[in-house]
Amino acid sequence: MTTFIKVGKVSDIPVLGARCVKTPAGTIGVFRTADDQIFAIENRCPHKGGPLSEGIVHGTSVTCPLHNTVVSLTTGLVEGPDGGGVVTIPVEVVDGEIHLDLGRLPVREVA
Amino acid sequence: MRKRLVVIGNGMAPGRALERLFEAAPDAYDVTIFNAEPRVNYDRIMLSPVLSGEKSYEDIIIHDDAWYTSNNVRLLQGKRVTEIDREAKRVTAADGTTADYDKLIIATGSNPFIIPVPGHQLPGVLAYRDLDDVEKMLHGAKTGGRAVVIGGGLLGLEAAAGLKMQGMDVTVLHIMPTLMERQLDPSAGYLLEKAVEDRGIEVICKANTKEILGVDKVEGVKLDDGRIIDATMVVMAVGIRPSVQLAKDAGLTVNRGIVVDDGMRTSDPDIYAVGECVEHDGMVYGLVAPLYEMAAVLADRLVEGAREYKGSQTSTKLKVTGIDLFSAGDFAEADDREEIVLRDAASGVYKRLVLKDNKILGVVLYGDTADGAWYFQMMKDGADIGELRDTLIFGQAFAGASPLDPTAAVAALPADAEICGCNGVCKGRIETAITDKNLKNVDDVRTHTKASASCGSCTGLVEQLLKLTLGDAYNPAGVAAMCKCTDLGHSDVRRLIVAKGLKSIPAVMQELQWKTANGCAKCRPALNYYLVADWPGEYVDDEQSRFINERVHANIQKDGTYSVVPRMWGGVTSSDELRAIADVVDKYEIPTVKVTGGQRIDMLGVKKEDLPAVWADLGKAGFVSGHAYAKGLRTVKTCVGSDWCRFGTQDSTGLGIKLERFLWGAWTPAKVKLAVSGCPRNCAEATCKDIGVVCVDSGYEIHFAGAAGLDIKGTEILCSVPTEAEAIEYIAALTQMYREQGHYLERIYKWAKRIGYDTVRNQIVHDAEKRQGYFERFQHAQKFAQDDPWAARAAKTGGHATEFTPLAEIGTAFPKPEMMEPAE
Ligand code: SRM
Ligand SMILES: Cc1cc2nc3c(=O)[nH]c(=O)nc-3n(C[C@H](O)[C@H](O)[C@H](O)COP(=O)(O)OP(=O)(O)OC[C@H]3O[C@@H](n4cnc5c(N)ncnc54)[C@H](O)[C@@H]3O)c2cc1C
Ligand code: SF4
Ligand code: FES
């Protein structure tokens, strides 16, 4: 099921930066690229759980602040040979407002 | 017995002739050189980068002492020849030194022309010809003020740009309506004027200097229309005159220059002349390329060869970084000439070709000079451009095979096409050298062929030849690329940022052709640092290009919480400070408090949301950020020193505190840690720090380049100084040198090893002016660096204000109020 929920405005996030959305199922990192695309992924690095939203954003990827794992914002997959990935959350931007599809939260799928 | 060759003058022309001579016949002559300048042969055309600070004198030496020794050349520095006795075949210098010759070379170059207006002899009126002039300018620039440069030609503009980069206000006075009118047509001259003005240099054309004002020294310049321009320095760059007096006195044939035949021989068969002092076929030259052609002929003649010099066509490039300009030939308008002009105002490009009978007579390129060599070659060859005419102005790539591949353009050049104009090196010679001598990078090519070794403007072409010849085996510059976003190494990027005046990350990525849209986590922090360090007060820090620690001014921990380390100057604290820390720890329920290895207190496990409030409370107690997270100054550890310790020789604690207060806030390539010990027992462990001081009875022993982390290495000794003030000055200068040269993440010990410990000592200890320069630049940069980021963050004036709070918190009860229509 899709459940789009408004979480804030595009302008609330710095260009090439990220903010967090806290949910009962864990924290989501919401990222803004140089060309104002918005992506949302699980805020837990597949390596050792580093907060990806604190990483450096480049292109459509983010580098984890703890040990430099690079995660794709579009696919959620780890770049390079190590493999692994995080859940991506569908995003819709309407009139500068960001909506996340919280129906996709990992917990709800499991529950 | 070997024949005796005496050379008068030690400039670039005879230097080249001797090189060629020693290649051909190393043992033919005993060589003695008289040089009025008290130094070895250096690259005069690179004086402008020395003036602007982009290069040092050491960088531009062509022949070092070892060269003279190994070639058995007797170089008499600082000796001006005053007489040539052609009967006795003997020359005599001003101090009475004599030398007998079998063959004599006159290479006295030119003298700068000084307009004899009233006041031209005042102190502060300078010429621009040799290193002494540059040193005077640099000295004058220190006190600031306004420099008036008289002459808007090549030299004048280079001087103006250099003085501007040294921080002076600069006005250029030019007598003609447009700049560089001898090399440029009025359109290009106008574009140039705008570009020069964009750098904050004032340009006044049609300005006729009437008088230089001043009592004991220069105070201003008066124009004939009555205008007065205040000045603390006047540089005259209005032209040169061949230096011919000596030859004239000796009775040689002299017109404008010393007259030579096609074999570079003067009217006396045993006397040759070469360089700017020469007149050949009615022409006098003032650029290096023709002089080097003469030098090659002269060397050949000295070993009984028969090569002939037939005159040269010259081209000009302006060496003001960021301004691309090329001109060659004759571009005056005339009825029998046609011209092709291309203007692209948006990208600031102007190109003009002057043609006659389908041949190129003249070229002016502004903004995009890539095709200069190609046009120049066709011009020299007198090539028929009939077939190319329609697309000629778009350049070689368009005329050749594939317009997208820059190497295709170079591939299309014939083997005898000249690549390096300064040194007259053609494409074939470079290619042969690359394959025969197994050359791998531009530096190798420079060493073996001299191509791109002088003004450097053909470096790009040489690189493309390397690419072409070596294919995939070519690794640009032979250095590791910064990251996958570029082929350039850190050194090149640093150099180009300064040289091209790049002042933002997008500008760097655009100009240096980054391969990714916005870099990666490796290059962005490095670029951000380089820009912060190179453009203090101008560059606006890019938050998003900093690692999280520097972005939020705290160290991220494995669980996503942060640690907070306030500064504890020199490791000294007080009951009030300790109480304030205790209160903060209680109030924010901080789980761990630990004394660090750097003599201060660490509060670990602070939640990100709490950081601003923690800082606000610490700030009230007088604490500032300890930068425990920064590539910057960390701690200055001290011991108790002479205040308490029975062995202490100096106030090591006090000096440590002074150093920390002076250096804090400075961003550096990697972290910088200091320590000051009160005696050689060294309780503060100063001899394994980036910079350390060991106090002794007679003063302060300064150490550098120690390590005690991933690598362990004792320090090197920099020097000893008697006073605290000097210790601080030397240390700040050293820090600045490292800030300007270090690669991002390269600790001082690695940097110093890379460039050589002696290089550091030479610049910081033995060269007082260099040291002063570094020191002043450091002080200047600190004006913009010593803002406590915690105070700013607590007051919500720094960074992204909402950085510390979540964008949204969503409770358990889905769906939430502002739901959208389900997208099916
Ligand atoms: C807190 C402290 C340990 C302690 O509890 O005592 C510490 C903690 C860290 N050190 Fe250290 N180092 C601390 C003193 C040292 C010392 C001792 C000293 O400074 O006298 C050294 C050896 C000296 C040196 O730097 O060469 C030291 C050598 C390192 C290194 C190795 C650096 C190297 O180039 O060899 C790293 C790794 C790095 O920087 O890449 C490092 C990195 C770190 C980091 C930043 C690791 C990280 O990236 O998270 C740790 C941060 C913890 C935190 O959040 O505070 N720490 N670290 C010390 C803080 C000192 C301070 O007051 O600022
Ligand atoms: C700032 C600057 C920038 C330049 N830029 C360029 C450029 O971009 N491209 C280019 O092609 N050219 C450039 N030039 C010109 C180029 O540097 C000269 O053409 C070249 O250096 C001349 O070489 P030379 O050997 O003939 O004479 P010089 O290099 O002038 O050497 C003459 C030497 O002889 C010495 N001497 C003179 N008289 C005596 C005597 N009686 N006894 C003993 N010694 C004596 C002088 O002290 C001097 O050291 C530039 C020049 C300057 C000053
Ligand atoms: S430095 Fe020397 S004087 Fe100072 S504490 Fe150590 S041993 Fe004592
Ligand atoms: S936790 Fe992200 S790289 Fe290790």
Side-chain angles (χ1 to χ4, degrees):
Chain A
M1 143 185 181
T2 42
T3 320
F4 278 94
I5 291 188
K6 182 157 107 187
V7 293
K9 293 196 284 294
V10 172
S11 57
D12 291 335
I13 307 178
V15 176
L16 287 174
R19 297 281 299 281
C20 291
V21 172
K22 294 199 169 173
T23 80
T27 308
I28 298 170
V30 187
F31 297 81
R32 178 171 173 190
T33 64
D35 52 359
D36 285 347
Q37 296 186 69
I38 302 292
F39 294 100
I41 60 175
E42 211 184 336
N43 196 32
R44 268 184 60 84
C45 177
H47 178 227
K48 290 194 174 173
L52 292 170
S53 59
E54 316 283 40
I56 288 185
V57 182
H58 45 96
T60 51
S61 305
V62 60
T63 297
C64 175
L66 293 197
H67 319 95
N68 297 330
T69 292
V70 180
V71 177
S72 160
L73 298 174
T74 52
T75 63
L77 295 177
V78 166
E79 233 175 56
D82 294 347
V86 295
V87 174
T88 58
I89 290 102
V91 179
E92 289 199 347
V93 178
V94 177
D95 294 334
E97 304 274 5
I98 303 168
H99 301 79
L100 302 186
D101 179 4
L102 295 184
R104 286 287 185 83
L105 274 184
V107 152
R108 286 179 58 90
E109 272 169 16
V110 181
Chain B
M1 203 181 88
R2 287 203 256 179
K3 283 190 279 183
R4 292 159 306 181
L5 177 66
V6 171
V7 186
I8 307 176
N10 192 32
M12 299 176 73
R16 171 50 59 92
L18 290 176
E19 270 174 25
R20 287 286 156 91
L21 172 66
F22 296 145
E23 274 168 28
D27 300 316
Y29 291 94
D30 278 329
V31 180
T32 303
I33 306 177
F34 286 84
N35 192 24
E37 270 187 80
R39 45 185 75 92
V40 295
N41 178 22
Y42 61 92
D43 194 341
R44 192 176 303 284
I45 74 179
M46 294 312 267
L47 284 175
S48 298
V50 174
L51 176 62
S52 66
E54 289 161 89
K55 290 211 184 264
S56 68
Y57 171 59
E58 291 76 27
D59 294 332
I60 68 165
I61 287 176
I62 300 180
H63 296 141
D64 57 11
D65 292 329
W67 185 86
Y68 295 97
T69 316
S70 66
N71 288 300
N72 265 320
V73 174
R74 189 158 72 114
L75 173 63
L76 303 171
Q77 304 188 18
K79 292 197 198 272
R80 173 177 294 278
V81 172
T82 46
E83 192 196 344
I84 304 172
D85 182 343
R86 288 164 56 199
E87 287 288 292
K89 293 193 151 185
R90 168 175 299 173
V91 302
T92 309
D95 68 348
T97 314
T98 61
D100 295 335
Y101 65 84
D102 296 307
K103 302 272 180 207
L104 178 67
I105 299 175
I106 303 179
T108 44
S110 307
N111 299 319
F113 182 65
I114 300 287
I115 326 171
V117 288
H120 73 277
Q121 281 158 328
L122 283 171
V125 179
L126 303 173
Y128 188 20
R129 180 69 193 172
D130 60 23
L131 189 69
D132 294 329
D133 297 327
V134 171
E135 281 173 352
K136 282 181 211 151
M137 285 188 228
L138 288 175
H139 186 76
K142 285 221 178 88
T143 43
R146 177 170 295 274
V148 170
V149 176
I150 306 182
L154 189 90
L155 285 195
L157 294 179
E158 291 188 7
L163 289 167
K164 183 76 199 175
M165 279 177 78
Q166 292 299 338
M168 294 192 81
D169 295 325
V170 181
T171 303
V172 174
L173 303 180
H174 191 53
I175 193 157
M176 302 302 285
T178 55
L179 296 176
M180 285 184 72
E181 77 291 343
R182 281 172 43 214
Q183 292 89 4
L184 297 183
D185 58 16
S187 296
Y190 164 76
L191 286 172
L192 176 61
E193 182 174 330
K194 272 210 322 202
V196 171
E197 281 176 340
D198 281 348
R199 312 178 152 233
I201 296 171
E202 186 188 14
V203 178
I204 307 180
C205 287
K206 297 189 226 168
N208 200 355
T209 305
K210 187 168 180 207
E211 189 181 344
I212 296 176
L213 307 173
V215 185
D216 316 313
K217 59 182 187 53
V218 167
E219 285 164 22
V221 173
K222 186 172 180 185
L223 303 181
D224 65 358
D225 62 9
R227 261 187 293 181
I228 290 179
I229 300 143
D230 289 339
T232 50
M233 181 195 299
V234 170
V235 177
M236 287 223 199
V238 291
I240 51 174
R241 298 281 178 273
S243 165
V244 296
Q245 198 56 45
L246 190 63
K248 221 180 213 165
D249 293 346
L252 299 173
T253 308
V254 171
N255 290 332
R256 258 204 307 157
I258 306 168
V259 175
V260 297
D261 63 14
D262 291 355
M264 304 313 297
R265 213 179 277 250
T266 66
S267 55
D268 179 331
D270 289 322
I271 304 183
Y272 297 86
V274 70
E276 279 188 349
C277 59
V278 157
E279 176 175 327
H280 173 269
D281 199 12
M283 293 291 291
V284 171
Y285 296 94
L287 292 167
V288 171
L291 310 187
Y292 278 3
E293 289 177 37
M294 295 179 193
V297 171
L298 169 60
D300 184 60
R301 291 300 177 121
L302 286 170
V303 294
E304 313 298 332
R307 271 178 74 168
E308 290 187 339
Y309 179 67
K310 286 293 183 195
S312 308
Q313 298 213 42
T314 55
S315 63
T316 314
K317 272 205 161 201
L318 180 69
K319 300 188 305 301
V320 172
T321 29
I323 301 183
D324 290 326
L325 182 162
F326 175 95
S327 91
D330 175 3
F331 39 80
E333 284 174 42
D335 285 348
D336 59 347
R337 295 177 177 182
E338 304 168 84
E339 57 177 10
I340 309 177
V341 176
L342 175 92
R343 286 175 211 271
D344 181 348
S347 50
V349 170
Y350 169 82
K351 303 183 182 186
R352 174 154 171 253
L353 296 172
V354 178
L355 309 176
K356 185 179 171 181
D357 302 333
N358 271 346
K359 291 189 180 130
I360 300 179
L361 275 193
V363 192
V364 182
L365 305 176
Y366 184 92
D368 174 4
T369 54
D371 288 310
W374 184 61
Y375 292 127
F376 187 49
Q377 187 69 34
M378 288 194 290
M379 183 181 118
K380 287 205 288 190
D381 294 347
D384 188 313
I385 50 88
E387 282 181 15
L388 295 173
R389 200 179 184 294
D390 289 347
T391 56
L392 188 64
I393 196 77
F394 302 115
Q396 182 176 21
F398 213 89
S402 149
L404 291 177
D405 180 4
T407 51
V410 182
L413 287 176
D416 64 354
E418 186 174 86
I419 300 290
C420 173
C422 296
N423 293 301
V425 190
C426 66
K427 178 181 160 189
R429 193 155 141 231
I430 299 175
E431 284 175 326
T432 319
I434 293 173
T435 19
D436 291 2
K437 304 209 169 113
N438 203 9
L439 309 184
K440 293 269 176 280
N441 55 50
V442 176
D443 277 342
D444 288 351
V445 174
R446 266 179 206 152
T447 320
H448 283 90
T449 68
K450 290 262 172 356
S452 80
S454 293
C455 82
S457 56
C458 62
T459 309
L461 292 175
V462 172
E463 274 179 345
Q464 281 166 7
L465 271 177
L466 277 157
K467 250 184 235 161
L468 215 57
T469 322
L470 297 177
D472 287 343
Y474 174 56
N475 171 14
V479 293
M482 244 171 99
C483 62
K484 62 178 186 346
C485 307
T486 175
D487 291 331
L488 297 169
H490 285 269
S491 296
D492 281 329
V493 170
R494 286 216 80 166
R495 184 173 52 78
L496 291 166
I497 284 175
V498 178
K500 290 177 171 263
L502 306 176
K503 299 197 176 168
S504 69
I505 291 180
V508 175
M509 292 184 174
Q510 179 64 29
E511 286 288 320
L512 306 187
Q513 301 181 4
W514 239 242
K515 296 185 225 164
T516 49
N518 33 55
C520 70
K522 272 196 185 143
C523 57
R524 283 233 310 276
L527 294 180
N528 190 58
Y529 166 70
Y530 295 154
L531 293 163
V532 166
D534 290 334
W535 311 112
E538 282 184 75
Y539 175 64
V540 184
D541 207 313
D542 180 24
E543 294 269 316
Q544 300 307 328
S545 294
R546 288 192 178 270
F547 284 120
I548 182 68
N549 286 3
E550 292 187 352
R551 200 160 71 227
V552 301
H553 320 290
N555 297 56
I556 194 164
Q557 303 295 313
K558 60 188 240 183
D559 60 355
T561 63
Y562 288 82
S563 75
V564 168
V565 187
R567 226 168 247 296
M568 208 163 254
W569 307 96
V572 177
T573 184
S574 66
S575 56
D576 282 345
E577 283 189 355
L578 293 172
R579 210 168 278 122
I581 289 180
D583 287 344
V584 165
V585 169
D586 285 347
K587 181 165 167 194
Y588 298 97
E589 297 173 336
I590 296 173
T592 300
V593 187
K594 180 185 178 303
V595 175
T596 72
Q599 298 190 338
R600 46 197 192 166
I601 291 175
D602 194 354
M603 287 161 263
L604 296 119
V606 183
K607 291 189 277 302
K608 190 178 182 191
E609 299 90 291
D610 286 343
L611 285 171
V614 167
W615 294 333
D617 284 5
L618 289 171
K620 277 181 217 135
F623 283 111
V624 298
S625 163
H627 293 91
Y629 46 80
K631 308 293 171 228
L633 180 82
R634 295 284 177 92
T635 54
V636 181
K637 300 210 310 186
T638 69
C639 75
V640 286
S642 57
D643 264 3
W644 293 96
C645 177
R646 65 201 166 104
F647 294 115
T649 60
Q650 311 279 356
D651 178 12
S652 50
T653 323
L655 175 56
I657 294 173
K658 281 184 198 149
L659 280 167
E660 189 166 353
R661 288 203 180 271
F662 191 56
L663 301 176
W664 78 275
W667 297 105
T668 43
K671 56 193 172 188
V672 171
K673 298 174 175 180
L674 273 70
V676 185
S677 286
C679 87
R681 288 167 191 77
N682 192 18
C683 300
E685 300 168 321
T687 53
C688 63
K689 290 286 174 273
D690 297 285
I691 303 177
V693 178
V694 176
C695 301
V696 288
D697 278 329
S698 59
Y700 305 84
E701 195 176 79
I702 305 177
H703 290 243
F704 71 114
L710 297 165
D711 291 309
I712 302 209
K713 184 185 163 303
T715 44
E716 304 288 321
I717 291 188
L718 183 71
C719 63
S720 293
V721 293
T723 64
E724 263 193 357
E726 283 163 295
I728 294 173
E729 181 192 327
Y730 280 59
I731 287 170
L734 171 62
T735 308
Q736 180 65 13
M737 183 176 176
Y738 167 59
R739 295 181 71 226
E740 290 175 13
Q741 302 182 358
H743 295 172
Y744 191 62
L745 300 186
E746 182 180 49
R747 290 286 286 266
I748 286 191
Y749 73 101
K750 292 193 176 154
W751 161 73
K753 182 158 180 241
R754 172 165 65 81
I755 68 162
Y757 302 123
D758 278 339
T759 310
V760 178
R761 290 188 190 105
N762 284 341
Q763 300 202 12
I764 301 300
V765 185
H766 306 307
D767 188 336
E769 258 181 61
K770 277 249 161 67
R771 177 177 65 243
Q772 262 286 311
Y774 285 127
F775 181 67
E776 279 161 17
R777 290 199 291 284
F778 184 77
Q779 273 184 311
H780 176 70
Q782 285 298 77
K783 282 192 228 153
F784 310 99
Q786 290 194 324
D787 267 335
D788 176 27
W790 286 358
R793 277 313 184 82
K796 292 205 170 53
T797 55
H800 204 262
T802 50
E803 166 92 51
F804 298 97
T805 51
L807 180 62
E809 281 190 61
I810 290 163
T812 33
F814 278 18
K816 292 295 288 179
E818 290 190 64
M819 245 183 68
M820 282 174 71
E821 284 304 298
E824 76 204 51

